[in-house]
Amino acid sequence: MQCDRCQENIKNNEERDFHGQTLCEDCYMVALSPAKACDPWAVHSAKSFSEKSKRKIDLTQTQAKILKFLKESKGAEPEVISDRIQISLPDLEREIATLRHMEKVRAKLQEGKKIICLW
Ligand SMILES: [Zn+2]
């Protein structure tokens, strides 16, 4: 049995039927869920979202704490900030990403270390 898309040989019982086409497992998965990256609407809405959040000045409590700490410390490593603000590093990275979109903070390299500081 051959896949109608990629012409690969399909092992017995692994062929999938997709609208009358015989597909291998891989092509079947692709056919079911087309790559989201190629979706112009997904890109568009992500872009307009970040433009919206850039204009919006409403900060969460955590974001306000980060900005306050950065103002006092004149920039700090992410590990130091997460320790001081008492949130996990992944959470902090998310907040920093949001704040960067708003152009509130930026990252810079200082003596080979990543430092987050006010914009
Ligand atoms: Zn295939």
Side-chain angles (χ1 to χ4, degrees), residues 3-8 23-27:
C3 170
D4 284 345
R5 286 205 175 185
C6 65
Q7 315 301 325
E8 286 284 326
L23 302 180
C24 68
E25 182 93 47
D26 286 349
C27 291

Side-chain angles (χ1 to χ4, degrees), residues 58-65 95:
D58 284 344
L59 296 173
T60 66
Q61 231 174 3
T62 310
Q63 289 162 353
K65 274 193 215 168
E95 300 289 6

Side-chain angles (χ1 to χ4, degrees), residues 14-105:
E14 285 193 4
E15 70 265 23
R16 298 279 186 273
D17 182 74
F18 184 76
H19 300 313
Q21 289 180 302
T22 306
L23 302 180
C24 68
E25 182 93 47
D26 286 349
C27 291
Y28 183 70
M29 297 306 282
V30 172
L32 279 186
S33 55
K36 292 278 189 293
C38 304
D39 183 351
W41 278 106
V43 174
H44 176 80
S45 56
K47 196 167 166 237
S48 59
F49 174 76
S50 73
E51 274 168 6
K52 215 175 279 171
S53 61
K54 206 190 261 181
R55 264 182 274 129
K56 222 171 136 205
I57 315 289
D58 284 344
L59 296 173
T60 66
Q61 231 174 3
T62 310
Q63 289 162 353
K65 274 193 215 168
I66 295 171
L67 291 179
K68 187 167 178 285
F69 176 62
L70 287 178
K71 200 173 176 186
E72 289 161 2
S73 64
K74 309 245 181 290
E77 289 170 77
E79 291 80 5
V80 176
I81 304 171
S82 75
D83 186 58
R84 195 59 84 84
I85 311 291
Q86 293 290 300
I87 60 172
S88 69
L89 258 183
D91 282 346
L92 176 71
E93 297 282 359
R94 251 197 310 277
E95 300 289 6
I96 296 291
T98 309
L99 289 168
R100 281 172 77 159
H101 274 303
M102 298 183 199
E103 300 187 351
K104 292 276 183 200
V105 303

